[in-house]
Amino acid sequence: MNTSHAFDLDAPPLGARALPAATDHAFQALRWAELIGPHAIDEISALTPLPRTNAGWVGAYLHLARGARTAGRDFDAVVYERAAQFFMSGDDPRRFPIRERFVDFMRHRFSRYPVGVPCDGAVLAAYDLPARGLGPGEEPHSTWVVFGGFDSYIEEWFPLLDAVARRGHRVIAFDGPGQGGVLEEQGVPLVAEWERPVSAVLDHFDLSDVTLVGLSLGGELVIRAAAFERRAKRVVAWDVMNDFLDVLMQQVAPVPPHVGRALSGLPGVLVDGLLALASRRPVVQWGLEQGMRVTSSKSPAQFLRFAGRLRTREVSEQVRGDVLLLAGRRDHYVPLPQLNRQARALTGARSVTTRVFNDAEGCAAHCQVGNLGLAVRTILAWEEPLLHRD
């Protein structure tokens, strides 16, 4: 395997190096820079003028991609293109060619190719990363089963997951309904019943004892899946999320959770009208359009009603495994109170551990972007004694 851009779990944190940009644009820039390397922050910061709109960021990232490709930095180029694609509208004709280039490149770079897993009429793309760094005859320390959230491709995580495999853990990573190629190529929208794709993957690979890891919105989906899937012996919500509607409303119009839920229950015409007012902010309009595309909703009101189903309160008590809940002190997506709410609700879990990351650690943001290595080391340290417990 070509090991350039191999992720070093012990590298110094990239940190939350500030950009003079809106919070979400700055966060996304840090997200892509964590893949590319610290020089990406310098390249992005040098943009003049720094973009202020989604369309401006699309053009800026494509400009950086062209420069990287001219310089022979093909890895950087496809990541910059993926960054541009992230902010494109769903009907932008550039989206799919960029996806194809990115996915093909990552598969070849890391020598990982998908296995098709049938699930409810769809075919999930799952990747099997074998454990490495083991002695002769030594079994993998554990098997991780990993999935993303609302808008990532699982191939984005190859550098990080490959680093976990190099530590002696087998990693099965997949996109489910509403994610990656399952959405983009098959048109299969997100489902709330996440135990279905998880069970399909566990069945396909004949797994009986796994560490189940959900990223971003996956922090909600992982709890839902673990409530129904007893083979999830260890459960990691990276980050915690117990109520997606609460998360969504914080972006649209910050209100208490009960108010957001009441609004989502109003007649659709009224909800659409209220959201039309909120969506005068371009980032809100983009988010609603993205949400409708991912969930195959016909209106913003329908999307909000679906978002209301993505919560864990009704199923948390059914989780029986050991649970690790991660959170960022300054997560601008997930309100921090969701951490304690989720921890208190896991009344049937074998154990519940919480970890809040702060500014000094360089990863107080969503999903510990800025110091992903610390997040992985935290999971490994939490998991290790559980693997040897009677």
Side-chain angles (χ1 to χ4, degrees):
M1 187 191 78
N2 187 331
T3 57
S4 61
H5 284 98
F7 199 95
D8 182 0
L9 296 179
D10 298 310
L14 184 64
R17 296 172 59 182
L19 286 171
T23 300
D24 198 57
H25 291 142
F27 169 80
Q28 296 299 336
L30 192 62
R31 167 184 173 180
W32 308 115
E34 190 121 41
L35 274 178
I36 294 171
H39 64 275
I41 290 291
D42 298 327
E43 291 180 337
I44 295 169
S45 299
L47 293 169
T48 305
L50 202 66
R52 295 184 178 275
T53 64
N54 286 353
W57 280 101
V58 169
Y61 282 130
L62 291 177
H63 167 74
L64 293 174
R66 288 190 293 269
R69 185 162 282 115
T70 298
R73 294 159 40 211
D74 291 340
F75 182 95
D76 297 7
V78 296
V79 175
Y80 278 136
E81 285 186 336
R82 166 65 178 131
Q85 186 219 32
F86 181 80
F87 285 117
M88 291 176 181
S89 63
D91 59 358
D92 193 310
R94 296 172 294 182
R95 285 186 57 88
F96 194 73
I98 287 176
R99 170 180 163 75
E100 284 191 313
R101 282 195 297 273
F102 177 80
V103 171
D104 288 348
F105 184 92
M106 296 298 279
R107 287 173 177 172
H108 285 88
R109 174 58 60 95
F110 290 90
S111 300
R112 297 289 163 244
Y113 302 94
V115 174
V117 176
C119 177
D120 296 338
V123 179
L124 314 183
Y127 298 89
D128 190 350
L129 286 69
R132 303 200 302 282
L134 301 171
E138 186 179 0
E139 293 293 321
H141 303 320
S142 70
T143 297
W144 287 27
V145 174
V146 183
F147 48 86
F150 197 71
D151 47 29
S152 67
Y153 295 163
I154 198 63
E155 293 85 2
E156 290 170 23
W157 296 94
F158 276 6
L160 192 71
L161 300 179
D162 182 73
V164 175
R166 295 199 310 270
R167 294 285 179 102
H169 300 261
R170 184 186 182 188
V171 180
I172 308 292
F174 73 94
D175 277 328
Q179 300 175 332
V182 187
L183 174 70
E184 305 277 8
E185 298 168 18
Q186 301 175 55
V188 179
L190 186 68
V191 297
E193 301 79 16
W194 203 251
E195 66 275 13
R196 285 155 41 188
V198 167
S199 294
V201 170
L202 298 184
D203 289 345
H204 186 87
F205 290 97
D206 193 24
L207 301 172
S208 60
D209 181 335
V210 304
T211 299
L212 193 63
V213 182
L215 294 142
S216 193
L217 173 62
E220 186 278 331
L221 301 175
V222 77
I223 298 297
R224 165 76 197 206
F228 296 92
E229 183 49 80
R230 293 289 178 260
R231 290 174 287 182
K233 304 297 185 183
R234 296 160 300 280
V235 183
V236 182
W238 181 6
D239 277 356
V240 67
M241 187 184 297
N242 83 319
D243 189 330
F244 182 62
L245 181 60
D246 185 17
V247 171
L248 180 62
M249 292 305 299
Q250 293 303 307
Q251 306 301 310
V252 174
V255 294
H258 69 280
V259 175
R261 196 157 292 280
L263 287 173
S264 70
L266 294 174
V269 173
L270 181 56
V271 174
D272 287 341
L274 293 172
L275 292 178
L277 293 174
S279 65
R280 290 176 181 175
R281 294 161 50 205
V283 69
V284 173
Q285 180 181 4
W286 171 84
L288 291 173
E289 290 175 353
Q290 178 83 334
M292 291 168 59
R293 188 174 72 88
V294 169
T295 60
S296 193
S297 298
K298 303 304 182 185
S299 68
Q302 187 178 358
F303 169 46
L304 248 64
R305 285 193 290 271
F306 182 90
R309 298 172 56 200
L310 298 175
R311 63 183 188 181
T312 64
R313 67 189 66 178
E314 291 87 0
V315 299
S316 291
E317 65 181 14
Q318 298 171 222
V319 176
R320 295 292 179 264
D322 297 285
V323 182
L324 174 62
L325 306 176
L326 305 181
R329 180 71 62 185
R330 296 186 183 275
D331 190 325
H332 70 293
Y333 291 130
V334 184
L336 191 57
Q338 289 204 14
L339 177 69
N340 289 332
R341 290 208 300 266
Q342 182 63 87
R344 289 195 303 267
L346 291 164
T347 54
R350 189 169 184 179
S351 70
V352 179
T353 303
T354 63
R355 175 67 157 88
V356 180
F357 297 86
N358 57 44
D359 289 319
E361 296 169 307
C363 54
H366 185 58
C367 287
Q368 288 65 68
V369 166
N371 196 354
L372 292 174
L374 176 58
V376 173
R377 298 197 309 271
T378 299
I379 298 171
L380 291 173
W382 165 81
E383 179 193 53
E384 198 277 335
L386 301 178
L387 300 174
H388 302 290
R389 185 179 58 192
D390 293 334

